[in-house]
Each structure stands twice: as C-alpha cells, then as structure tokens.
Amino acid sequence: MDFRYTPEQERFRDEIRGFLAANVSDALRLEIATSGHSPGPLGKAFLRLLGERGWLGVGWPREYGGQGRSMIEQTIFYHELDLQDIHYGNLTITSLAMALMKLASEEQKRQYLRQILAGELEICLGYTEPGAGSDLAAIITRAVRDGEDYVINGQKVYTTGAHYASHIWLLARTDPEAPRHKGLSVFIFPLATPGVTVRPIYTMEGIRTNEVFLDDVRVAASAMIGPPGSGFHTAAVALDYERVFMGKYTKLRRDFAALVRECKAPGDGASPPLDDPVIRDRLVGLHLDIERLRLLCLKSAWMMDHGNVPGAEASAQKVLASEREQ
C-alpha cells in the first residue's frame, strides 16, 4: 500500500508552505511561543488574513464560498498550520461550521458562515458540565421557553477558547420530561450576551481553559440549531467532523523534533544521547507511533470523503431509536 500523498496533494502542500513562509512574521512566531495557546492580536490578524486569501474554506463546498477540495486536502492544510502552531479557528472551521452547513436554517447559514470564512467569528464548545463529561445526556443546564426567547441557566466547564471566542455552541436541556437523549437542544449565541460569565481554569501544562456560568441568559428562539429536542443528534454530527481533526499528530511531531534536537546535543563534554543505541531505538519507536497516528488521521479524512464514517452520528441514531422503543 502506498501511503504517500498524490502529486497533486504534494503540490498543494508546497503551496501552503510557500504561503506560510511568506506571511508568518518573526513577531507572530514570538507571540505564538509566549501566548500559552491563546491567540494574541497578531494571531487573530493572521486568522483574518487566512480568511481574506480564501484558505479557511479549503474543504468547504463552493456554494458556501469554499474551495470545494477533499477532506484529505483540508486535513493537509490544517496539519501544515498545526506544525507551526498557527491559529486557524480550530473547531469553528473543522467541525462546527461543517455541522452548520448540514443542519442550520438558511438564515443561520447566511448569518454565520460568511463571518466564519472571513476569520471574523469564532465559536467555543459548551458541552461538558461538572457532573456530565463523557455522558452528555446527563447535562442539567436548562433552557426554558419564554415567548420568542429561551432563558438559560447552568454551568459549563473545560470550555476551551471561551476567553477569546465570540460565540458559544451550547448544549442545554429544553424538555426535562423527555427521555434524556431526546430533551436536548443546541444553541449558538454571542458570549457577550448578558448573564454569561467566563472564568479561567489552568491545566498543569499552563494552558488556559474555562468554566462558563449562565445566569438567566436570554437568547432568541432562532438561536437554536434544528428543532427542539434535536440537540443530541446535532452534537453527534459536529463530533463526526471533529473526529477527523482531534487525533492530530502535529503537536507530537513538534515535541518529537525538539526531543531529537536535545538528543543530538552533547552535554558537559559527554557524547550526545543519540549515540546511545537504546535511546535511538526508543526514538524510532516514538517516530513510528506518530506516523501511525498521522495515517489514522488521513484514514478518517478519506472515510469522510467517501461518506463512510460509522461514527457519532450513527451511534446517536441508534441511541435515539432505542429510546423510542422503550
């Protein structure tokens, strides 16, 4: 089996690398190195530049302003940016925008997709709660209908990007009497909405994530994606797209390259660690693990291109069908 890119894909990768070489300044690289994985002013400006040049829509259909390329090519593009730790909107582009194309109303598509494509709008993911992580059907954040609005109360945790995103993609319970997977709905609305409070949580690595408190947050009913009670399916669709990009090998590749550089450097007059055959053997093993992960990413993208992903959406349909039978 040939694991290499096609000649066309290699040319596309060279085009990306040429663009980055010409446009990523030393000042931006310094900001990236010191920002703690939160985009600063230069990072946000570069995101808008990517939008102006049409790069953010690599894998988007042409009808939504994208380049209409394959998911493989979209993956190549994002991996090249990831290898340099360049901010490109992450889940906003790779997952949530794709779900909007599939599930949002025409009005919502007009409202959000153009801004996302231009690098002007970023969305964070409001799923996890203190008592509901891997089991999203256990969430208790409530959204209660009040005329033409919903009033939302609850708390989200580990909301990565909430301190710089403009909007939140929020999963809330709209029908407490329905079976737990069927009483959920997804909303998208600005984080600047009154009643939203964002507080930092720092990981052991020093990376910022957040907890988000929602106190009588009033949003229009038109902020809901899909009909009431469709939130579990909506979240599953977004997760299917997310799977293609979440298992990224790129940070591991960067860390591995730094490790190899350290192993090549002699210390205190001694020979470099790379001279030790045991260390070389372990480095080879790490390299192979990273390559396996890269191939899994590309396999996921290939399956998505061919409509052959038995993933979260299919699992959600089975769960919902099971609840209908109960």
Side-chain angles (χ1 to χ4, degrees), residues 57 60-67 97-98 100-106 109-110 113-114 117:
W60 288 30
R62 295 186 185 278
E63 63 184 290
Y64 297 119
Q67 296 185 18
M98 308 300 282
L100 283 170
M101 292 177 205
K102 189 170 183 178
L103 301 172
S105 67
E106 291 304 314
K109 291 175 186 178
R110 288 192 296 270
L113 292 180
R114 182 198 62 77
L117 197 62

Side-chain angles (χ1 to χ4, degrees), residues 44-301:
K44 292 182 177 180
F46 193 80
L47 177 66
R48 292 190 293 272
L49 175 64
L50 290 171
E52 291 171 7
R53 302 291 179 88
W55 282 111
L56 292 180
V58 166
W60 288 30
R62 295 186 185 278
E63 63 184 290
Y64 297 119
Q67 296 185 18
R69 294 180 182 267
S70 70
M71 194 64 71
I72 288 283
E73 289 169 305
Q74 180 167 315
T75 302
I76 291 171
F77 172 68
Y78 295 135
H79 284 178
E80 287 300 317
L81 269 69
D82 275 327
L83 286 170
Q84 298 194 41
D85 207 11
I86 303 294
H87 179 68
Y88 55 81
N90 300 318
L91 289 180
T92 301
I93 296 291
T94 62
S95 172
L96 303 180
M98 308 300 282
L100 283 170
M101 292 177 205
K102 189 170 183 178
L103 301 172
S105 67
E106 291 304 314
E107 180 183 353
Q108 289 168 334
K109 291 175 186 178
R110 288 192 296 270
Q111 181 179 0
Y112 295 118
L113 292 180
R114 182 198 62 77
Q115 294 182 71
I116 292 173
L117 197 62
E120 299 170 353
L121 187 153
E122 288 191 68
I123 311 170
C124 64
L125 201 60
Y127 285 170
T128 305
E129 298 183 1
S134 57
D135 182 8
L136 287 181
I139 69 167
I140 60 174
T141 292
R142 285 290 312 279
V144 178
R145 185 71 184 252
D146 181 23
E148 295 302 311
D149 299 333
Y150 278 87
V151 179
I152 304 174
N153 284 278
Q155 179 187 357
K156 299 294 178 178
V157 71
Y158 306 129
T159 312
T160 302
H163 57 297
Y164 60 79
S166 58
H167 288 65
I168 187 169
W169 175 280
L170 185 94
L171 187 65
R173 189 165 299 283
T174 49
D175 186 354
E177 303 303 321
R180 65 193 202 123
H181 293 90
K182 298 169 77 172
L184 304 172
S185 302
V186 166
F187 299 84
I188 179 173
F189 57 90
L191 279 162
T193 303
V196 178
T197 303
V198 178
R199 296 179 183 171
I201 300 174
Y202 288 95
T203 69
M204 292 179 66
E205 193 179 352
I207 297 172
R208 176 173 174 171
T209 181
N210 305 276
E211 53 185 345
V212 177
F213 297 90
L214 304 118
D215 299 300
D216 290 331
V217 176
R218 183 173 291 272
V219 301
S222 59
M224 183 184 292
I225 306 298
S230 65
F232 191 71
H233 174 256
T234 299
V237 170
L239 286 168
D240 263 351
Y241 287 107
E242 183 179 334
R243 285 182 174 195
V244 178
F245 303 100
M246 282 301 288
K248 295 182 293 190
Y249 72 99
T250 45
K251 183 179 186 302
L252 295 174
R253 174 71 66 80
R254 295 198 307 268
D255 292 344
F256 179 74
L259 178 61
V260 170
R261 287 194 297 270
E262 287 296 318
C263 288
K264 288 181 177 179
D268 298 328
S271 60
L274 197 61
D275 288 351
D276 187 330
V278 174
I279 289 178
R280 289 201 303 272
D281 181 71
R282 291 184 178 178
L283 288 173
V284 168
L286 288 172
H287 171 72
L288 292 174
D289 286 342
I290 294 169
E291 278 300 290
R292 277 193 286 266
L293 180 56
R294 183 179 72 86
L295 292 175
L296 283 172
C297 292
L298 292 172
K299 179 182 178 181
S300 296

